[in-house]
Amino acid sequence: EEKIYGHTPEDAFLEQGPGQNRENEKWLKVTEHANSNNPAEWRVAIIEADIMLDELLKTLGYDGEGVGEMLKKVESSDMLTLDQAWEAHKIRNRIAHSGQEFDLSERETRRVIKLFEEVFKEFQII
């Protein structure tokens, strides 16, 4: 990947040196929002996780106007968690387009965050 893209997905997300704690700062913020008692923070968690997905896709060399366009270009053999990425992104879109009208439960928030987590673990971002 480094030869093709000039960097690996890990390089794009992990700012700490080797041997240090490899927790991703952005992901820690996402989980902080997701674990809040405030439903508004749950929305922020999902939107922030989707931003991380956007960054990941760009790092992997995909281009497009947004996450949806980039996901359309991903071959299922290149991303084992493609279905999870799509499902999580669709929920993010419903939040973004419906705002407060979209009924987001704590349980649904945890499920969607878990979908993002599976994608990020596949690419060793978290």
Side-chain angles (χ1 to χ4, degrees):
E1 288 180 3
E2 191 168 4
K3 287 180 183 178
I4 296 170
Y5 303 113
H7 57 281
T8 62
E10 247 179 32
D11 294 338
F13 290 95
L14 299 176
E15 297 173 358
Q16 296 150 334
Q20 295 180 7
N21 183 351
R22 297 175 59 93
E23 282 293 329
N24 185 307
E25 293 287 330
K26 291 180 183 180
W27 183 250
L28 291 175
K29 289 284 187 195
V30 167
T31 57
E32 213 174 275
H33 290 300
N35 291 325
S36 168
N37 292 325
N38 182 350
E41 297 235 7
W42 303 341
R43 296 171 193 284
V44 171
I46 292 171
I47 291 169
E48 290 295 321
D50 196 69
I51 291 169
M52 288 178 63
L53 178 59
D54 178 76
E55 292 172 355
L56 169 64
L57 293 169
K58 287 177 181 171
T59 300
L60 294 173
Y62 296 98
D63 62 343
E65 285 295 311
V67 172
E69 280 191 27
M70 287 186 275
L71 285 173
K72 288 178 186 175
K73 295 177 182 179
V74 178
E75 296 290 328
S76 58
S77 60
D78 293 335
M79 180 184 268
L80 301 176
T81 54
L82 182 58
D83 290 339
Q84 290 91 326
W86 266 116
E87 188 174 348
H89 178 65
K90 287 177 184 176
I91 297 296
R92 175 266 175 215
N93 280 349
R94 290 180 63 195
I95 291 168
H97 297 291
S98 300
Q100 295 298 325
E101 292 177 19
F102 180 70
D103 187 28
L104 182 64
S105 68
E106 185 175 2
R107 181 178 183 178
E108 179 68 353
T109 299
R110 294 193 189 290
R111 186 185 75 80
V112 173
I113 294 300
K114 183 70 174 163
L115 293 171
F116 280 114
E117 181 180 2
E118 291 172 20
V119 174
F120 299 148
K121 282 186 175 179
E122 175 182 355
F123 292 94
Q124 300 173 355
I125 294 169
I126 59 173

